[in-house]
Amino acid sequence: MENYRIFDSELEKLSHKVIQMCSQVNQQLIDVIKAIKTSDIALARTVISNDEFINNLDVKIDKLCQKIFALQQPVASDLRYIISALKINNDLERIGDHAVNVAKRIEPLQDYKQLVEEFGIDVIGEKTTILFSDVVELVKTHDLTYAVKIMNKAEAIKEECEDIASRILGEMMHQSEVVVVAANILIINNLFERITSYSTNIAESISFVVNGEIVKHKKHN
Amino acid sequence: MIVDKIYTENMFLYYSGKMALNDISIKIPEKKVTAFIGPSGCGKSTFLRSLNRMNDLIDGVKIEGNVIIDNINIYDKNIDVVNLRKKVGMVFQKSNPFAKSIYENVAYGPKINGISDKKQLEEIVENALKNAAIWDEVKDRLGDSAMGLSGGQQQRLCIARTLAVNPEIVLMDEPASALDPLSTAKIEELIVQLKENYTIVIVTHNMQQAARISDNTAFFYLGELIEYDRTKKIFTNPDKKQTEDYITGRFG
């Protein structure tokens, strides 16, 4: 006999908020890439100001998880979902912060568009955003084929980021006049690498929800 | 090394021809706490009672298969049931002290087992009350009636009474379900302490209690053992959907 659980409405609320957070962070990434590509300073500022909404949502999700832990004593798949929701929420909030950190560096770069393109920062940003759109789908559907796709793509993006970093460092050593701007580009490159890592974390968390296995720190195939 | 204190093989139990336990095979390790969970009527208490032949007292009960304790089939014809119940003690849901003094409640078992030396009896009573974590609360009033104790104290007295005959296994049928949270916590703490010296098997409707105190958990449903595993596994990632649905409150 199936029982109606008061608990189910709380879980639905939590799931809805996590998906909302995901979509919001996704929009921030889309906007920040567009701002880099078009040197749109106004859009970069919008990204910065939109972070407050994400931060508020982060606190709401934390509180809801706390409430469920305290009042419902979740077990089994419910427990795994709430543990993961907390971690995913944390990862999403960090990705949101990184989008803001990228946005803050767009204005100083507006006169160096050629250098941005030369190092492929716009392209790596685009790839990171496409990767994150898979994260959104994964969080919505819990379909682990997305998780495998994310883990594999993330490896390739991270390698590319390492490549870009060594090219930037090379440029900095040979052309001292671009050191300041190149350092900025290096930081953005690093932020995209971090966003990729957080995307992998989220894929691992959803894998844990679905099959109960902790896959982090394992080599993904 | 983990020793299997109790194991059953293809055990079936019928009440007047109606099957109540269906093919139960389980290994219960020594000096661990094993919890039985499941909805009312699933057979968990029936199974618990069959581990010290308490079901023999019910008319029309028929048991098939083997119930082995320390390598001996307890349903063999030559088994002395009184000795079996000394070795496999039982604590019930409702505390049931005798209308006698606290001392007499605990000394009763050893006395009927032939111990008459006053000093020896005093020693047994003190140790049993200490092991049941109630000594400090009653040591100055051992002559008072057990009926004057609180519900939680009465239940710990009943545990002391069970321990006084020196069992190896203690079966507990919802030992804390009638107690307030503080008394429940004391009983739970006591159970965890007892597993150092005893094999504990507990039936509980309180899932959080099973999660808190047991090493292994068995989930019963409609007379069948659905899943049996480490408690940590059952409560984080059970293998069977029925277990998952029951512990998360989706049915039962």
Side-chain angles (χ1 to χ4, degrees):
Chain A
M1 189 186 71
E2 291 285 323
N3 281 357
Y4 171 75
R5 305 184 314 162
I6 301 166
F7 188 6
D8 286 336
S9 65
E10 296 281 279
L11 280 180
E12 272 165 35
K13 205 196 282 177
L14 177 61
S15 167
H16 176 75
K17 284 200 187 307
V18 172
I19 291 169
Q20 190 187 5
M21 178 95 165
C22 235
S23 306
Q24 202 66 33
V25 169
N26 192 35
Q27 192 56 49
Q28 290 283 81
L29 288 176
I30 290 168
D31 287 348
V32 87
I33 295 306
K34 194 173 169 199
I36 288 181
K37 283 183 162 176
T38 58
S39 300
D40 187 340
I41 309 304
L43 186 57
R45 285 187 188 138
T46 307
V47 169
I48 296 166
S49 63
N50 280 349
D51 193 45
E52 199 186 337
F53 181 80
I54 292 176
N55 288 344
N56 288 338
L57 204 48
D58 166 49
V59 174
K60 278 183 191 159
I61 291 172
D62 266 5
K63 282 187 178 168
L64 187 53
C65 288
Q66 278 178 31
K67 183 181 160 198
I68 295 173
F69 272 125
L71 304 184
Q72 308 288 353
Q73 288 106 37
V75 293
S77 58
D78 296 335
L79 174 71
R80 300 203 303 274
Y81 180 69
I82 296 152
I83 290 174
S84 298
L86 267 176
K87 294 170 93 170
I88 290 169
N89 182 41
N90 205 37
D91 290 336
L92 289 172
E93 196 274 335
R94 297 300 300 151
I95 294 174
D97 281 351
H98 287 346
V100 168
N101 289 337
V102 172
K104 282 178 180 167
R105 288 180 160 76
I106 290 174
E107 197 170 353
L109 285 179
Q110 58 181 332
D111 297 330
Y112 299 92
K113 210 163 170 241
Q114 197 192 335
L115 212 53
V116 168
E117 283 169 10
E118 192 184 314
F119 289 119
I121 290 301
D122 48 349
V123 176
I124 203 75
E126 185 95 56
K127 285 183 183 174
T128 310
T129 308
I130 293 168
L131 177 82
F132 193 80
S133 63
D134 284 340
V135 171
V136 178
E137 285 310 304
L138 174 65
V139 171
K140 278 184 186 165
T141 62
H142 288 201
D143 175 353
L144 290 189
T145 52
Y146 285 109
V148 175
K149 216 162 118 187
I150 290 162
M151 289 171 189
N152 290 334
K153 271 194 197 170
E155 283 301 310
I157 293 175
K158 281 189 196 174
E159 276 172 27
E160 229 173 295
C161 285
E162 267 180 46
D163 243 34
I164 293 170
S166 23
R167 282 197 285 126
I168 297 172
L169 287 170
E171 189 78 11
M172 287 164 95
M173 277 190 278
H174 292 110
Q175 293 200 55
S176 56
E177 67 275 16
V178 296
V179 163
V180 175
V181 67
N184 237 336
I185 296 174
L186 187 65
I187 291 169
I188 293 178
N189 180 58
N190 190 43
L191 290 168
F192 284 135
E193 192 272 337
R194 295 311 305 146
I195 291 170
T196 305
S197 283
Y198 286 121
S199 299
T200 311
N201 289 356
I202 295 171
E204 289 165 349
S205 293
I206 297 289
S207 298
F208 174 68
V209 174
V210 175
N211 55 32
E213 273 174 42
I214 295 171
V215 292
K216 62 180 176 182
H217 309 310
K218 282 184 187 166
K219 195 84 189 147
H220 308 299
N221 293 309
Chain B
M1 197 183 78
I2 296 169
V3 176
D4 293 324
K5 187 75 176 169
I6 305 167
Y7 74 94
T8 67
E9 289 171 325
N10 311 110
M11 190 207 153
F12 294 80
L13 185 144
Y14 304 86
Y15 285 123
S16 309
K18 193 170 174 278
M19 191 190 287
L21 291 173
N22 183 358
D23 200 7
I24 310 291
S25 297
I26 190 171
K27 290 177 175 174
I28 296 173
E30 187 178 38
K31 294 183 182 171
K32 300 272 182 206
V33 178
T34 302
F36 294 169
I37 60 168
S40 297
C42 70
K44 57 191 189 302
S45 289
T46 299
F47 184 61
L48 185 82
R49 286 197 300 269
S50 65
L51 300 179
N52 74 345
R53 293 186 55 171
M54 291 292 279
N55 290 320
D56 290 12
L57 307 171
I58 302 168
D59 285 340
V61 167
K62 191 183 139 207
I63 288 171
E64 289 169 4
N66 296 321
V67 180
I68 315 252
I69 294 179
D70 287 338
N71 299 317
I72 293 165
N73 189 345
I74 62 164
Y75 284 90
D76 270 354
K77 282 198 182 92
N78 55 359
I79 289 291
D80 178 343
V81 179
V82 175
N83 274 336
L84 171 71
R85 292 190 191 135
K86 249 193 273 173
K87 181 171 172 159
V88 187
M90 190 147 190
V91 176
F92 299 89
Q93 179 180 4
K94 202 170 172 307
S95 52
N96 49 358
F98 307 133
K100 289 172 179 283
S101 71
I102 293 166
Y103 178 91
E104 283 302 326
N105 262 275
V106 185
Y108 183 82
K111 271 186 183 171
I112 59 165
N113 284 328
I115 296 169
S116 55
D117 180 70
K118 195 168 170 268
K119 210 165 161 94
Q120 199 185 348
L121 277 172
E122 278 174 5
E123 206 175 299
I124 290 171
V125 170
E126 181 174 336
N127 281 335
L129 290 168
K130 278 181 176 163
N131 285 336
I134 191 180
W135 172 250
D136 288 338
E137 292 160 60
V138 299
K139 64 183 177 196
D140 300 323
R141 47 174 173 147
L142 293 176
D144 291 2
S145 168
M147 309 316 276
L149 296 172
S150 72
Q153 287 172 328
Q154 286 189 7
Q155 191 61 308
R156 278 179 287 141
L157 178 69
C158 291
I159 294 173
R161 193 174 64 188
T162 305
L163 300 181
V165 294
N166 211 13
E168 292 172 30
I169 297 166
V170 180
L171 308 177
M172 298 185 170
D173 196 351
E174 295 191 53
S177 64
L179 304 179
D180 64 76
L182 197 60
S183 304
T184 299
K186 279 186 185 169
I187 298 279
E188 288 181 1
E189 200 186 323
L190 171 60
I191 291 169
V192 174
Q193 282 167 14
L194 288 175
K195 77 172 177 179
E196 229 175 88
N197 298 309
Y198 306 90
T199 301
I200 312 279
V201 188
I202 175 173
V203 161
T204 178
H205 270 129
N206 181 338
M207 232 101 60
Q208 293 308 319
Q209 182 170 74
R212 282 192 294 266
I213 63 172
S214 70
D215 300 287
N216 297 303
T217 297
F219 169 58
F220 289 81
Y221 184 57
L222 299 176
E224 288 181 35
L225 174 60
I226 304 294
E227 187 166 352
Y228 175 50
D229 211 322
R230 285 166 301 129
T231 298
K232 195 172 74 182
K233 169 94 168 85
I234 295 279
F235 284 92
T236 56
N237 191 17
D239 284 333
K240 301 276 168 64
K241 189 174 181 297
Q242 278 167 307
T243 315
E244 166 95 26
D245 286 350
Y246 179 69
I247 62 168
T248 56
R250 288 188 172 88
F251 91 94

